[in-house]
Amino acid sequence: MKKVSPKFKSLAAKLLYWFAANARDLPWRRTRDPYAVWISEIMLQQTQVKTVIPYYERWMQSLPTIQDFAKAKPQRVLKLWEGLGYYRRVRLAQDAARLIMTKHSGSFPESFDEVVALPGVGRYTAGAICSIAFNQPTPILDGNVIRVLTRLLGIAGNPRSKTVNAELWRAAEELVIASGAPSPLNQGMMELGALICLPRQPKCPICPLRPDCFALRNQRVEDFPATAKRPAATLRRFIALVVKDGERLLVQRRPNGVVNAGLWEFPNVEVPVNAKDLKKLIPPFQITDRSRFIEIRHSITRYRIILEAYNAKLSSNSLLAETNSVWKTQAQMSKLPFTSAHRKVMQRTIHLQA
Ligand code: SF4
């Protein structure tokens, strides 16, 4: 067992005391089932708690065990995930569920090395599962924990750099060992980052670690964590073509091997950001109404994306095969997983038709 300092013991004790009195009642905190902890952790990556709650509850009702998840059709899995984004997460998770069925006889592995070897599971997720579900002293380091530790201990430098990152993992590990209670300690760290040690205007006056905080004592809270300059986002523009045939609409499934593979969308074309004349850019489609009926702006990783949707038709029905698209009724489309932006286009289309 690694030696821990009295300072870390005292910090851990304060955090545990605070967490016992202040933990939110979140659905994944009502269980120690490693499968449930794992699903909640994957959903919570890049996504806010309040968004995740209904997804998590729906998921656990539909696929309550690893066996159910491993056996589920990919389209059903994507439908349950629809709107959470970063769909690669759930595809890798299903690979992991299948591996657990074959390699671990359907039981979630308990050793850190076996958990971290699962597809899509990194050091953070493995640490969260092993500590929360199995109460092992495995550290975690996510955005919330980085913020708390850098401020609390005055850890300067870019947290993504190798040396600073290693220092943060060491501190997280010492703290979780010092606590003697890994599950609530790690959850407490995340909770403190989510509720008190906020990115802007942290609630230092009610923070349980206030007397020990380097950043507060030195009036340098804004200096931590150091932020690396982000590269400028690249703007991309897509034109979605909404082609109707009575009740039916033309839609396509994104092929395997591309971003958002397996999700559905309207036929669409990427065009130069400043393109004015779209005619030559969208064959075999023709725009039938020059005014776009919806424009959606969103960001994916380093891209800022503009999606404009227009009513359109095929210049000839014989060209349908070229589009890789199929006709679907509204009822059929409601059962398919769509990307969030194209789901909005569909809802707008249905609204305008009503
Ligand atoms: S005192 Fe303020 S800056 Fe320091 S850990 Fe608490 S909330 Fe964060």
Side-chain angles (χ1 to χ4, degrees):
M1 180 69 83
K2 287 186 184 167
K3 253 187 105 184
V4 292
S5 68
K7 177 182 168 182
F8 274 67
K9 274 197 170 172
S10 157
L11 287 172
K14 286 175 191 168
L15 192 58
L16 287 173
Y17 186 79
W18 173 83
F19 184 64
N22 293 281
R24 286 171 292 177
D25 177 27
L26 301 174
W28 45 89
R29 287 193 178 147
R30 296 174 204 145
T31 173
R32 285 287 180 91
D33 174 4
Y35 168 64
V37 172
W38 174 46
I39 294 302
S40 69
E41 284 299 330
I42 315 168
M43 286 185 171
L44 286 163
Q45 288 165 16
Q46 323 273 356
T47 313
Q48 290 185 343
V49 165
K50 68 174 190 299
T51 307
V52 166
I53 290 173
Y55 279 94
Y56 172 84
E57 289 181 329
R58 210 162 39 234
W59 181 285
M60 294 311 290
Q61 268 167 16
S62 306
L63 305 173
T65 66
I66 296 176
Q67 288 84 338
D68 296 318
F69 182 21
K71 279 191 310 204
K73 291 208 167 93
Q75 287 285 290
R76 185 171 173 221
V77 169
L78 282 175
K79 185 68 187 166
L80 285 166
W81 203 269
E82 183 188 53
L84 275 178
Y86 301 95
Y87 294 91
R88 193 165 172 269
R89 289 182 291 182
V90 72
R91 268 191 293 276
L92 288 172
Q94 194 170 33
D95 291 345
R98 289 175 178 154
L99 197 72
I100 291 170
M101 294 306 296
T102 53
K103 197 173 164 199
H104 303 285
S105 314
S107 295
F108 208 98
E110 291 192 23
S111 87
F112 178 86
D113 289 345
E114 284 177 323
V115 176
V116 83
L118 294 170
V121 175
R123 187 174 176 186
Y124 164 80
T125 307
I129 295 168
C130 289
S131 61
I132 297 170
F134 305 127
N135 207 31
Q136 294 171 15
T138 47
I140 55 162
L141 195 64
D142 67 351
N144 281 332
V145 178
I146 287 174
R147 199 164 53 251
V148 175
L149 287 178
T150 52
R151 289 172 174 171
L152 181 65
L153 305 172
I155 297 175
N158 179 359
R160 287 181 195 280
S161 76
K162 214 172 156 192
T163 45
V164 177
N165 200 257
E167 188 180 351
L168 286 163
W169 275 109
R170 272 197 303 276
E173 184 174 24
E174 187 171 348
L175 203 53
V176 76
I177 292 172
S179 72
S183 178
L185 187 282
N186 276 350
Q187 293 184 71
M189 283 295 280
M190 293 192 267
E191 196 77 333
L192 192 78
L195 301 181
I196 304 289
C197 197
L198 304 171
R200 278 176 292 280
Q201 297 179 334
K203 299 176 180 174
C204 301
I206 57 165
C207 175
L209 307 181
R210 186 180 66 251
D212 311 279
C213 181
F214 174 93
L216 182 67
R217 192 165 57 248
N218 293 283
Q219 298 183 356
R220 291 183 52 203
V221 172
E222 284 79 33
D223 294 348
F224 299 95
T227 44
K229 219 176 161 202
R230 289 188 179 203
T234 306
L235 192 61
R236 297 175 70 179
R237 180 182 175 207
F238 290 81
I239 306 297
L241 293 315
V242 179
V243 183
K244 295 174 203 155
D245 175 31
E247 279 288 293
R248 303 185 306 168
L249 292 160
L250 209 52
V251 288
Q252 60 190 26
R253 183 178 173 278
R254 290 182 66 79
N256 293 337
V258 302
V259 175
N260 295 339
L263 291 168
W264 289 75
E265 61 187 13
F266 290 92
N268 60 92
V269 186
E270 183 168 11
V271 299
V273 173
N274 296 319
K276 293 227 165 20
D277 184 6
L278 299 176
K279 234 190 242 164
K280 288 198 187 103
L281 301 170
I282 58 168
F285 297 99
Q286 289 175 353
I287 288 173
T288 54
D289 180 350
R290 281 168 60 84
S291 53
R292 61 179 170 255
F293 65 86
I294 187 167
E295 179 182 304
I296 296 154
R297 287 173 183 255
H298 62 117
S299 295
I300 302 179
T301 59
R302 62 187 186 85
Y303 298 110
R304 277 200 298 128
I305 293 175
I306 304 174
L307 176 70
E308 298 166 28
Y310 292 86
N311 285 317
K313 64 176 185 177
L314 275 167
S315 45
S316 159
N317 281 342
S318 64
L319 297 171
L320 179 60
E322 265 184 39
T323 67
N324 293 321
S325 304
V326 289
W327 295 108
K328 295 279 183 192
T329 62
Q330 284 177 22
Q332 289 169 325
M333 288 196 308
S334 68
K335 295 192 181 115
L336 298 173
F338 268 71
T339 64
S340 295
H342 284 262
R343 167 76 53 198
K344 284 183 191 151
V345 173
M346 188 213 299
Q347 283 161 348
R348 183 82 183 142
T349 304
I350 293 168
H351 175 78
L352 291 175
Q353 275 178 339

